[in-house]
Amino acid sequence: MSDQTIPVSGSLQAAYPERGTLLEWLHGWIVTVDHKKLGILYITYALFFLLVGGVEAMLIRIQLMVPHNHVISPEMYDELFTMHGTTMVFLVGMPILFGFANYLVPIMIGARDMAFPRLNAFSFWLTAFGGLLLYYSFLGGFGLYGMGNAPDVGWFAYAPLTGKSFSPGHNMDYWALALIVSGFGTVGTAINIIATTVSLRCKGMTFFRMPLFVWLLLVVSALTLVTITPLTAAQVMLLLDRYLGAHFFDAQAGGSPMLWIHFFWIFGHPEVYVLVLPAFAIANEVIPVFSRKAIFGYPAMVAASVGIGFTSLAVWAHHMFTVGMSSAGNSFFVISTMVVGIFTGIKVFNWLATMWGGSITFSTPMLFCTGFLFQFLIAGLTGIMLAVAPWDWQLHNSYFLIAHFHYVLVGAIIMCIFAGFYYWFPKATGRMMSETLGKWHFWVFIIGFHMSFDTMHFVGLLGMPRSIYTYEPNRGWDTLNLIITIGAFVQAVGVLIFVWNLVHAYFRGKLAGPDPWDAWTLEWATPSPPPAYNFAVEPEVRSRRPLWDIKHPNDPDWKYEQ
Amino acid sequence: MSDLPIFADEPWILPSRGRIAMWSLIVAESAIFSLFVVAYIYYIGRDQFGPTPSVLDRPILNTVCLLSSSLTIWIAERAIEQGRMRRFAIFWAITILLGLKFIIGTITEFRTLINRDGLTIDANLFGTTFYSLVGLHATHVLVGLVGLSLILAFTLFGKVNRSHAERIQVFSMYWHFVDAVWVVVFTVVYIVGK
Amino acid sequence: MCGALHAQKCSTAIVNMQHSPSPSRIRSGLSLALCLCAPALRAFAEGPDSIPNTFAPASTPTHEIYNLSLFALTVTGAIFVSVAALLTYVCIRYHSRRSNPANEPPQVYGSLQVELAWTVIPILIVVVLFLTTARIIFAIQDQPEPANALNVTVIGHQFWWEFRYPSYGVVTANELHIPVSTHQQPEPTFLRLISADVDHSFWVPQLAGKTDLIPNHPNESWMDPHEPGLYLGQCAQFCGVQHAKMLIRVYADTPSDFAAWLKNQQQSAVNDPSVAAGRHIFESQACMVCHTIKGTRALGTVGPDLTHLMSRATLAAGAALNTPTNLRAWVQNPANFKPGCLMPAMHLSNEQVDQLVAYLTSLR
Ligand code: HEA
Ligand code: HEA
Ligand code: CUA
Ligand SMILES: [Cu+2]
């Protein structure tokens, strides 16, 4: 089955493009408007910054390895954790997921490209430029009094620390401008994805036949429209404060730092769901294929995703239980936050039900997705603990919080991204990644992960706050921190195995053929890598799993789906 | 359980991607405006010193111009749909003039506020939120005007015809949006906040 | 008694901080083992402790939080155990042993009943959890202030704490003294939290959850330590370079100790003629621009009030032990302990520093 394309009308025989000179090749990548190439650009870019952000994390951990450590200056430390957070969220999480979206959404809905290919290229280059601008800050001017160059006030950048009087240098300007620029790129891509899914679906691809991956990206893109923009607006206000002497967040003139806190989390909270939903999207594709079953409760999955999207707009102040809201206000945000747990629960249970009664093979993508399920369960439950407002008065800004969100960001999102890599790498390159190395990668990384992030919960419960460059030795935090640091090194080994696997597979991997996983969605109906226009003729579908219908002509899906 | 879905004869029509994209853009822009509006409302009456909203004059004429430009652009849209290019060009031009009047009105308003009342963006919270909200809207009008003028230029060079009706309408959605936002801004700044 | 002992223990720890003391290593190892379950963690530390353990509550609000957290932990723990068990079961039971890959398992597309079940059960759980939580929110946050409560205003500065006792005319820094509040004699302390510059957060895990100090946004918090002793905490909102060294010490004093302490703090500074040279330097250098010493010309408010400097165990919000050696090093160059803090090095001659330190050490 794996050496021939599936006879969906419109699939092509492999037509590998000719390789020209290096210059032509480079030029081809730079001027490209092809969604697949742009997708790969996004992903490569994000992968590069994952390593950068990871190195920053390593430096953080080296400094915190023992109490009163002097490896890194306090100034440098503040830059490191700010840049680590900002990089991971804006230069890794968003682009990598948009990379997957770019690559997959058009193919999955049987389209030839995105709705606006040139806007797509423009958005990518804006994002790329934003990242460069952010990192240029290392050269571009000092920050807080006595501090270094890069942004150094945390990724949440609470006012008034960001005002001219406390951050006289240019680092906050780099921070704000870089994120505004990449924010425009993000909004552009989101608009593009929405227009693509709504207007370019191939014949027969009704909304309720779209793969869940596409559904989730539709929700994410819609969410992005109202998520990134508040940050842009708040950053414009910040720049007005800094350059034109406005007083939005200027406490001296009666302005309120509270406004920034609200605005940031109105962005910041939905943002974390913008990051996690595409990860869910990956799991939605991988879990059914490796369980050999259709996704359980497709309509419920869609409804839950939309529900998460909407509720996530009304929970932002759970990041603000300690700022002194009224007790009624606090209570409202407790309940709204917990409601997200109900919707998310529906998804978790549906994944379990998909696996139930299946015939599960633990290939690397599935391994990572299983790890994701386990870790996301814990992460969600620690989220519920944080949502218990009085307890959050203890846990807020402690390492328990750091543990919670790394459990989601690393344990769920990065894990799903790894799964996505192993799953679609053959599609994008035509070559398989090594299963052996994949398993090594999985086990090494997951061991390091648990060493680091499980331990963080405890050190947080023992009262260790975040954002500190050093700590006192007599507080019971020493050994725990050492373990966290060792765990980070183990993770780094895992990541290196992964990178090696990528590089090796790209040149030496065994040929994949169009459909190595015996999967069901349209992208597996074209050759690997797909030709420039994906499909010679627009395909037609009759169910959620067009390839299943073809492979099982006697028992096609469209007989059963509601 | 559904019957065999056969498509050969079913029409398969999807919404225009331009409209979808413009709607998305409008949603995103609305979010930006909301934040500035919220900031404006939050700071109403919190100043200890400096000019207060009582210095504002309601820009009635401006408002009338901008709102009627929505009407003229709508007439232009219908005209191009029917291929009446002269009519299209005329009403398109009127729209631009009305928009220009609005911008000039805003500029004069700002000038008097600065010179007569000493209200600048760094004067106090009112100045900060007023100029940023009204200024943000004016910026959008400006961007719209640039777009409108480009299209007018193309029309005069005869490069626009009936087949572009769809695109013209998509662009017009933006202009309608800018007008609608003005209703909100006007209500908040010149009625509620005054 | 016990409190004094604890203070002693912590001081030694700080003295030893450059060469991390082995007892604390053993302790943290122990705590890892004990961390694995909350009640055990609690048993590990009753009363004031050098570990700011959130599971060792020592006041009414933290006790309530602690009980609530045990409840939440039980609920989430139960969810975890059941779902994780399910996941494990599924992974083992349905692990593929297919001989023929073309042989697909039966396809199931969904079930409304099941779907309803796993929507309704979580809803019920959430309702229960929410109601319990809301009750505690109101209980702690809307606690009315009793008439006999002690009022303290806490002012956050980059990177130190100012404590003002408005009804006693006392101003001090970094080390908060409050009375114990026992069942027989309840005397809670109500804090009013304001900031002089940027956001900070006041957190003493054993005594109260954290509350932020935000410019233009006064907040409140309260605590009533049940046992005398020293409670440790620190700033929990990033506030700049030395956020890490913005530590808090809260001494819960017995009523008589507290009265004695208050009485001393109300006095003006000791005026010891033998250190007049130092005092002169203090008043002729920029020191007086930033610091207040009651009874002298020094009335600055940029830095901590130094009237009773020697009544504090640490310098500069816990950056160093308050010993003459450290004081000397501090005055010579504060960056020795706190690089990036807002007190400049004054470039004084050695002799001047000696005299200055002699003066400062007289400020009991
Ligand atoms: C992708 C990232 C991501 C995701 C998905 C989540 C998901 C959740 N988060 Fe998290 N969170 C972050 C990233 C994320 N978070 C980050 C980055 C921060 C810190 C930012 C900073 O300060 O720098 C943060 C901070 C944060 C806080 C603020 C803490 C503080 O600052 O003091 C809170 C408080 O409520 C919270 C709660 C939750 C909840 C309830 C969920 C829920 O969505 C989880 C839902 C999932 C489940 C509950 C598990 C599965 C469900 C079941 C098995 C059903 C049964 C369950 C029940 C009935 C409860 N998070
Ligand atoms: C997607 C998001 C993401 C990811 C993946 C990570 C990954 C990691 N994070 Fe991060 N983290 C955040 C998002 C993320 N983090 C955010 C938002 C914050 C808050 C910031 C703030 O407060 O402002 C934060 C803060 C944060 C802190 C708290 C800092 C502080 O408050 O003082 C710590 C401390 O341990 C930490 C550690 C780690 C570790 C050990 C990893 C590891 O998982 C990293 C593993 C990866 C690697 C180790 C990469 C390996 C690379 C190599 C081996 C390099 C090879 C080199 C070349 C080829 C050039 N993170
Ligand atoms: Cu004060 Cu952090
Ligand atoms: Cu959140």
Side-chain angles (χ1 to χ4, degrees):
Chain A
M1 179 118 319
S2 66
D3 53 351
Q4 67 185 60
T5 48
I6 311 299
V8 161
S9 67
S11 60
L12 289 174
Q13 279 311 313
Y16 288 97
E18 301 269 324
R19 290 225 171 163
T21 65
L22 183 66
L23 211 65
E24 278 167 5
W25 175 81
L26 214 63
H27 184 253
W29 279 99
I30 289 173
V31 302
T32 186
V33 293
D34 177 27
H35 73 98
K36 294 184 291 299
K37 281 189 156 183
L38 284 165
I40 291 174
L41 280 176
Y42 265 117
I43 292 173
T44 320
Y45 167 86
L47 207 56
F48 168 74
F49 276 114
L50 176 66
L51 295 181
V52 174
V55 170
E56 283 159 353
M58 304 303 290
L59 293 172
I60 291 176
R61 287 320 315 172
I62 290 173
Q63 167 67 12
L64 293 181
M65 188 158 60
V66 290
H68 288 288
N69 204 355
H70 290 292
V71 178
I72 285 164
S73 68
E75 293 85 355
M76 189 66 195
Y77 182 87
D78 298 340
E79 291 170 26
L80 283 176
F81 78 75
T82 306
M83 290 298 272
H84 166 71
T86 311
T87 305
M88 288 298 196
V89 170
F90 294 99
L91 309 183
V92 179
M94 306 272 283
I96 208 162
L97 299 164
F98 276 137
F100 276 101
N102 243 304
Y103 199 98
L104 295 168
V105 166
I107 310 194
M108 281 188 170
I109 60 171
R112 286 184 158 188
D113 205 322
M114 296 284 270
F116 306 100
R118 271 171 298 199
L119 172 65
N120 199 15
F122 183 61
S123 303
F124 168 74
W125 290 106
L126 277 183
T127 308
F129 178 67
L132 292 182
L133 194 61
L134 185 64
Y135 271 83
Y136 188 75
S137 65
F138 274 109
L139 310 172
F142 66 101
L144 298 178
Y145 276 115
M147 297 197 97
N149 305 314
D152 46 14
V153 293
W155 83 290
F156 38 81
Y158 276 8
L161 201 54
T162 49
K164 243 331 189 224
S165 42
F166 296 104
S167 293
H170 287 301
N171 59 352
M172 285 326 294
D173 307 327
Y174 280 104
W175 181 81
L177 286 171
L179 296 189
I180 288 176
V181 169
S182 66
F184 280 141
T186 308
V187 171
T189 308
I191 291 179
N192 220 334
I193 293 174
I194 296 178
T196 310
T197 24
V198 176
S199 305
L200 297 191
R201 279 164 292 135
C202 69
K203 208 165 176 191
M205 178 76 73
T206 57
F207 273 113
F208 278 88
R209 285 186 195 142
M210 292 198 307
L212 275 179
F213 183 95
V214 180
W215 251 114
L216 276 149
L217 277 143
L218 183 60
V219 174
V220 165
S221 304
L223 200 53
T224 305
L225 295 181
V226 290
T227 295
I228 296 294
T229 39
L231 179 67
T232 308
Q235 285 174 328
V236 169
M237 294 179 193
L238 178 64
L239 289 176
L240 289 176
D241 272 12
R242 289 177 61 85
Y243 280 97
L244 300 182
H247 307 294
F248 282 107
F249 312 119
D250 172 11
Q252 249 88 44
S256 174
M258 287 291 287
L259 204 62
W260 173 271
I261 305 181
H262 275 291
F263 285 176
F264 185 82
W265 291 117
I266 285 176
F267 145 77
H269 182 83
E271 167 70 11
V272 303
Y273 291 100
V274 166
L275 293 174
V276 86
L277 287 177
F280 290 172
I282 293 173
N284 279 335
E285 295 307 313
V286 171
I287 290 176
V289 167
F290 290 90
S291 309
R292 307 308 309 157
K293 272 183 66 207
I295 190 87
F296 190 91
Y298 177 99
M301 285 299 240
V302 172
S305 314
V306 177
I308 292 178
F310 275 106
T311 14
S312 75
L313 296 175
V315 305
W316 76 87
H318 68 210
H319 296 269
M320 303 168 51
F321 287 139
T322 63
V323 303
M325 286 185 295
S326 69
S327 31
N330 279 335
S331 304
F332 172 78
F333 285 101
V334 170
I335 183 72
S336 64
T337 303
M338 288 181 178
V339 168
V340 179
I342 300 174
F343 287 122
T344 317
I346 297 179
K347 298 184 87 76
V348 171
F349 294 129
N350 275 302
W351 284 319
L352 285 176
T354 305
M355 293 165 77
W356 188 281
S359 162
I360 309 170
T361 36
F362 287 102
S363 307
T364 317
M366 188 60 184
L367 264 186
F368 276 104
C369 278
T370 317
F372 150 77
L373 278 179
F374 179 70
Q375 275 133 211
F376 182 68
L377 173 65
I378 298 178
L381 294 174
T382 55
I384 296 296
M385 299 180 203
L386 290 165
V388 174
W391 198 5
D392 183 69
W393 297 334
Q394 292 285 21
L395 300 177
H396 173 69
N397 277 2
S398 74
Y399 264 77
F400 189 93
L401 170 64
I402 305 277
H404 157 69
F405 72 69
H406 281 89
Y407 243 83
V408 210
L409 291 168
V410 183
I413 299 178
I414 299 287
M415 291 294 244
C416 275
I417 288 173
F418 285 146
F421 265 103
Y422 285 92
Y423 186 62
W424 281 295
F425 186 87
K427 180 48 55 185
T429 64
R431 289 176 187 275
M432 302 294 287
M433 289 177 75
S434 151
E435 276 290 311
T436 326
L437 283 178
K439 299 231 155 86
W440 272 100
H441 169 204
F442 174 77
W443 287 111
V444 172
F445 190 79
I446 209 165
I447 288 170
F449 171 86
H450 285 283
M451 276 180 84
S452 286
F453 299 118
D454 296 5
T455 318
M456 277 190 189
H457 290 103
F458 301 128
V459 77
L461 290 174
L462 292 179
M464 178 162 168
R466 74 196 283 191
S467 321
I468 53 173
Y469 72 89
T470 193
Y471 51 94
E472 301 299 316
N474 55 330
R475 307 210 159 178
W477 305 340
D478 324 13
T479 316
L480 298 173
N481 269 295
L482 189 64
I483 297 173
I484 300 175
T485 303
I486 297 172
F489 276 96
V490 178
Q491 289 179 65
V493 174
V495 173
L496 286 181
I497 298 176
F498 168 66
V499 172
W500 168 245
N501 198 353
L502 276 182
V503 175
H504 183 81
Y506 185 76
F507 294 106
R508 294 276 152 77
K510 83 176 195 287
L511 288 180
D515 184 20
W517 308 115
D518 194 2
W520 301 313
T521 36
L522 279 180
E523 77 269 29
W524 306 105
T526 65
S528 313
Y533 279 93
N534 302 346
F535 307 96
V537 183
E538 193 181 79
E540 277 180 25
V541 301
R542 292 163 184 219
S543 77
R544 289 171 203 144
R545 298 190 295 171
L547 269 59
W548 170 278
D549 295 352
I550 291 165
K551 291 169 186 172
H552 303 267
N554 301 326
D555 196 22
D557 257 4
W558 45 260
K559 276 194 186 163
Y560 306 98
E561 281 172 2
Q562 294 91 6
Chain B
M1 241 126 290
S2 51
D3 282 323
L4 282 183
I6 306 286
F7 308 110
D9 40 348
E10 270 176 43
W12 182 246
I13 302 168
L14 293 170
S16 125
R17 57 184 173 170
R19 279 178 200 274
I20 297 292
M22 189 50 88
W23 272 117
S24 309
L25 183 69
I26 287 174
V27 170
E29 292 264 33
S30 312
I32 295 190
F33 274 105
S34 314
L35 256 72
F36 279 88
V37 169
V38 167
Y40 191 90
I41 294 174
Y42 185 79
Y43 282 140
I44 286 178
R46 293 222 181 184
D47 276 317
Q48 307 297 328
F49 52 84
T52 63
S54 60
V55 301
L56 296 178
D57 299 317
R58 293 206 177 103
I60 304 289
L61 180 62
N62 251 356
T63 308
V64 171
C65 288
L66 195 64
L67 295 189
S68 41
S69 77
S70 242
L71 188 68
T72 53
I73 203 171
W74 181 80
I75 298 174
E77 286 173 53
R78 294 290 86 77
I80 192 170
E81 219 172 48
Q82 299 151 3
R84 300 159 71 182
M85 294 314 294
R86 253 183 78 88
R87 192 178 158 86
F88 168 73
I90 290 171
F91 277 91
W92 200 257
I94 297 177
T95 310
I96 294 180
L97 289 179
L98 290 170
L100 268 179
K101 165 68 189 78
F102 179 85
I103 283 294
I104 294 168
T106 308
I107 292 174
T108 17
E109 185 191 7
F110 281 14
R111 284 184 59 143
T112 23
L113 285 175
I114 293 170
N115 298 330
R116 186 188 69 192
D117 305 304
L119 181 71
T120 53
I121 194 164
D122 59 355
N124 59 8
L125 290 170
F126 169 52
T128 296
T129 49
F130 173 78
Y131 284 112
S132 45
L133 177 56
V134 177
L136 181 71
H137 177 262
T139 316
H140 279 77
V141 177
L142 265 181
V143 171
L145 279 178
V146 172
L148 286 167
S149 314
L150 281 176
I151 293 174
L152 184 66
F154 281 119
T155 315
L156 296 182
F157 286 117
K159 302 274 189 215
V160 178
N161 56 45
R162 195 173 184 166
S163 69
H164 296 109
E166 165 83 17
R167 295 184 188 193
I168 296 290
Q169 283 168 0
V170 168
F171 180 83
S172 308
M173 285 167 66
Y174 176 82
W175 190 254
H176 290 304
F177 165 71
V178 172
D179 284 3
V181 169
W182 178 249
V183 176
V184 176
V185 173
F186 186 82
T187 317
V188 169
V189 175
Y190 297 97
I191 296 176
V192 177
K194 205 164 136 70
Chain C
M1 15 138 273
C2 146
L5 253 172
H6 264 287
Q8 194 59 40
K9 199 164 74 194
C10 293
S11 326
T12 17
I14 293 195
V15 174
N16 292 340
M17 66 196 173
Q18 254 67 29
H19 0 262
S20 25
S22 48
S24 84
R25 276 288 157 86
I26 296 166
R27 276 197 128 184
S28 40
L30 252 179
S31 65
L32 170 68
L34 289 170
C35 260
L36 296 174
C37 81
L41 235 173
R42 164 125 192 263
F44 174 61
E46 275 287 354
D49 190 28
S50 75
I51 297 180
N53 187 344
T54 59
F55 277 158
S59 74
T60 309
T62 46
H63 262 290
E64 288 181 19
I65 295 176
Y66 173 70
N67 290 335
L68 176 65
S69 71
L70 287 191
F71 176 70
L73 208 58
T74 317
V75 173
T76 48
I79 299 176
F80 170 71
V81 169
S82 27
V83 181
L86 216 65
L87 177 62
T88 319
Y89 172 78
V90 167
C91 286
I92 295 168
R93 170 69 181 73
Y94 297 106
H95 187 183
S96 163
R97 287 175 203 82
R98 284 191 299 168
S99 41
N100 177 9
N103 201 356
E104 305 275 15
Q107 301 294 307
V108 183
Y109 298 89
S111 147
L112 196 60
Q113 289 85 340
V114 187
E115 212 73 66
L116 268 178
W118 63 46
T119 311
V120 171
I121 297 173
I123 289 180
L124 298 180
I125 299 178
V126 161
V127 168
V128 173
L129 205 52
F130 164 66
L131 291 178
T132 330
T133 306
R135 193 172 63 77
I136 304 291
I137 294 180
F138 283 88
I140 296 178
Q141 211 178 322
D142 296 347
Q143 173 76 24
E145 183 177 335
N148 69 334
L150 171 70
N151 278 296
V152 181
T153 303
V154 180
I155 307 173
H157 293 264
Q158 275 183 324
F159 312 106
W160 58 282
W161 303 94
E162 180 176 348
F163 299 117
R164 292 175 171 262
Y165 299 66
S167 29
Y168 298 95
V170 166
V171 180
T172 180
N174 299 331
E175 300 183 4
L176 176 66
H177 284 256
I178 57 177
V180 281
S181 174
T182 52
H183 276 300
Q184 299 78 28
Q185 213 183 337
E187 194 186 350
T189 303
F190 274 69
L191 305 174
R192 194 181 143 78
L193 304 155
I194 58 185
S195 162
D197 37 46
V198 301
D199 297 357
H200 304 273
S201 191
F202 188 84
W203 187 29
V204 184
Q206 289 187 274
L207 296 184
K210 58 183 80 59
T211 311
D212 296 352
L213 296 81
I214 300 171
N216 276 356
H217 184 85
N219 275 334
E220 262 151 35
S221 166
W222 63 281
M223 46 180 64
D224 58 342
H226 298 321
E227 277 184 62
L230 168 62
Y231 297 89
L232 299 175
Q234 75 190 77
C235 178
Q237 177 62 55
F238 182 70
C239 52
V241 202
Q242 281 299 339
H243 158 67
K245 294 230 173 129
M246 191 165 163
L247 312 186
I248 305 166
R249 311 180 130 230
V250 177
Y251 291 91
D253 294 334
T254 56
S256 56
D257 284 356
F258 183 65
W261 179 83
L262 262 187
K263 187 139 190 298
N264 181 45
Q265 296 289 314
Q266 283 170 322
Q267 312 296 317
S268 287
V270 184
N271 193 354
D272 181 351
S274 68
V275 292
R279 175 172 168 180
H280 179 71
I281 297 170
F282 194 93
E283 292 184 19
S284 55
Q285 294 284 336
C287 315
M288 58 167 284
V289 180
C290 298
H291 292 282
T292 295
I293 296 182
K294 235 188 319 184
T296 73
R297 299 201 297 129
L299 293 171
T301 52
V302 177
D305 187 309
L306 301 180
T307 313
H308 299 282
L309 176 64
M310 296 321 281
S311 70
R312 303 201 271 270
T314 60
L315 276 179
L321 261 200
N322 189 1
T323 62
T325 336
N326 284 347
L327 198 52
R328 192 171 198 289
W330 172 263
V331 173
Q332 241 163 358
N333 186 5
N336 285 336
F337 299 112
K338 245 177 146 169
C341 83
L342 296 187
M343 168 159 156
M346 305 297 296
H347 304 292
L348 303 172
S349 70
N350 272 339
E351 196 198 342
Q352 280 175 313
V353 176
D354 288 338
Q355 290 170 340
L356 202 51
V357 171
Y359 171 59
L360 292 175
T361 43
S362 76
L363 301 173
R364 320 230 131 251

